[in-house]
Amino acid sequence: MDVLSRSKLQSDPSDENAVDESDLEVSPEELREFLAADLVEVQASPHFKERLRGKLWRFVRSNYGRDSSSS
Amino acid sequence: MLPRTSDANRSVPKTASSSLRHLSDEELLEGIRRSEQAHFNELYERYFSRIYGFVYTRLRNHADAEEIVQETFTAVFRSLGSFRGQSSLLSWIYGIAKNTVNNAMRRSRTAGQRMDAIDPELLSPRPSIATIGPDEQLNLRRFADSINDRLESLAEWQSEVFLMRHVEDLSIREICERTSRSSDAIRSSLYRVKRLLIEDSGVALAPAGS
């Protein structure tokens, strides 16, 4: 196989980040730390936040909602 | 860069509905599955700062944090259909955020190790393409093709940003002005492309015929 034409990165990295609920082990300490992130003194770029919101909403609408096929 | 304090993130966005604040995550999820935008906005507001803060605390870099927050939310919404409620949504989203950060840090370490492992000989001045042999010309052409394939797999604006930076040699500020995008978005995009190319270089630099 031509190593230069191999396409090993075509898969979406978000797939590898999904978690199986049945394998999920989260300690109360971890959840507390996650919730404490609400208080982190850091602000994301509002532009980034709104752009991501739009992108996700378009995804939701086309995959879960009225725009998706009625299969 | 913008001064970054926590105040603006705490304000109520015009797209969120305060009447939904009493709803549980799971109730919001049901609404999202019916494509209710208000439910989507409420869940997004509930988790955006939390995920951003969690990721930023680990990476300490806004460009990287944007990249990982986007990956996290994408994984969450891609997988919502398969969420069965065996755990709380909070635990499940935390699990995805943690996985995403850990995977990104692992990728970053691996890319760094690859950079360290590059033979210095490869970085020394190379002969002109006109003077190299046909085998090397073929390898170079294949390498260029693989880079082109990578660029084509990106959004059009991302490949344009990469070319502006590395072919036209524009500064980040100039690219921001030309594309009307934030410097964080530009840096994040360049980081993403660079990562793809670095990961690909491990393949492209392999000896011919291996």
Side-chain angles (χ1 to χ4, degrees):
Chain A
M1 181 181 179
D2 178 2
V3 291
L4 297 176
S5 63
R6 244 184 345 212
S7 174
K8 65 186 172 67
L9 296 172
Q10 292 302 315
S11 60
D12 190 320
S14 61
D15 291 341
E16 66 179 299
N17 301 323
V19 291
D20 186 336
E21 288 173 73
S22 55
D23 293 337
L24 193 61
E25 286 183 22
V26 180
S27 70
E29 288 73 23
E30 285 182 302
L31 277 189
R32 267 198 292 275
E33 183 198 10
F34 190 40
L35 291 170
D38 287 355
L39 305 175
V40 171
E41 293 290 318
V42 59
Q43 184 199 337
S45 150
H47 179 69
F48 165 72
K49 182 178 176 182
E50 292 313 307
R51 219 163 30 83
L52 180 58
R53 183 202 300 273
K55 191 173 177 177
L56 293 169
W57 170 242
R58 283 193 295 278
F59 176 83
V60 167
R61 211 174 44 184
S62 63
N63 285 276
Y64 298 111
R66 294 153 191 151
D67 289 358
S68 61
S69 62
S70 54
S71 58
Chain B
M1 185 178 287
L2 291 169
R4 300 197 161 184
T5 63
S6 63
D7 294 339
N9 264 359
R10 308 291 176 248
S11 63
V12 179
K14 59 181 181 293
T15 43
S17 168
S18 57
S19 65
L20 299 181
R21 285 192 175 169
H22 66 282
L23 295 184
S24 68
D25 287 353
E26 286 70 21
E27 287 169 322
L28 292 176
L29 178 58
E30 286 308 309
I32 292 170
R33 284 172 169 157
R34 296 191 305 270
S35 199
E36 299 286 351
Q37 189 167 12
H39 290 71
F40 163 81
N41 279 327
E42 176 63 26
L43 192 77
Y44 185 73
E45 286 301 325
R46 208 171 275 185
Y47 278 92
F48 182 86
S49 298
R50 183 172 297 159
I51 293 175
Y52 197 95
F54 175 76
V55 172
Y56 183 83
T57 301
R58 278 155 180 72
L59 302 179
R60 295 283 166 194
N61 173 298
H62 283 289
D64 292 347
E66 286 188 3
E67 171 102 8
I68 302 311
V69 168
Q70 177 163 324
E71 266 190 44
T72 301
F73 270 110
T74 302
V76 166
F77 283 98
R78 281 169 68 100
S79 312
L80 273 187
S82 59
F83 178 75
R84 299 181 300 276
Q86 291 177 340
S87 62
S88 70
L89 196 65
L90 174 71
S91 301
W92 184 67
I93 291 178
Y94 166 77
I96 292 176
K98 186 174 74 168
N99 270 8
T100 309
V101 172
N102 289 345
N103 287 338
M105 293 174 84
R106 198 174 306 121
R107 282 199 301 265
S108 175
R109 274 197 300 272
T110 305
Q113 286 164 357
R114 281 184 180 152
M115 291 295 281
D116 291 342
I118 289 177
D119 184 346
E121 172 68 17
L122 292 169
L123 302 177
S124 61
R126 313 300 292 172
S128 156
I129 193 165
T131 63
I132 63 176
D135 286 350
E136 277 189 277
Q137 283 199 25
L138 182 61
N139 273 343
L140 275 177
R141 199 167 299 124
R142 285 174 172 167
F143 184 45
D145 286 346
S146 75
I147 289 180
N148 281 334
D149 287 347
R150 282 285 160 264
L151 292 177
E152 283 174 9
S153 73
L154 301 165
E156 188 177 347
W157 73 271
Q158 288 183 307
S159 58
E160 283 174 1
V161 164
F162 178 79
L163 294 173
M164 283 180 205
R165 181 73 176 138
H166 296 289
V167 177
E168 297 182 48
D169 206 23
L170 298 184
S171 67
I172 299 288
R173 182 195 284 184
E174 288 170 321
I175 298 172
C176 291
E177 287 169 0
R178 197 184 278 193
T179 61
S180 303
R181 291 178 187 274
S182 71
S183 61
D184 277 345
I186 299 300
R187 287 179 203 284
S188 173
S189 170
L190 288 170
Y191 169 81
R192 171 182 276 272
V193 177
K194 191 168 71 177
R195 200 181 74 201
L196 282 176
L197 295 180
I198 287 174
E199 288 180 3
D200 210 32
S201 71
V203 175
L205 293 174
S210 64

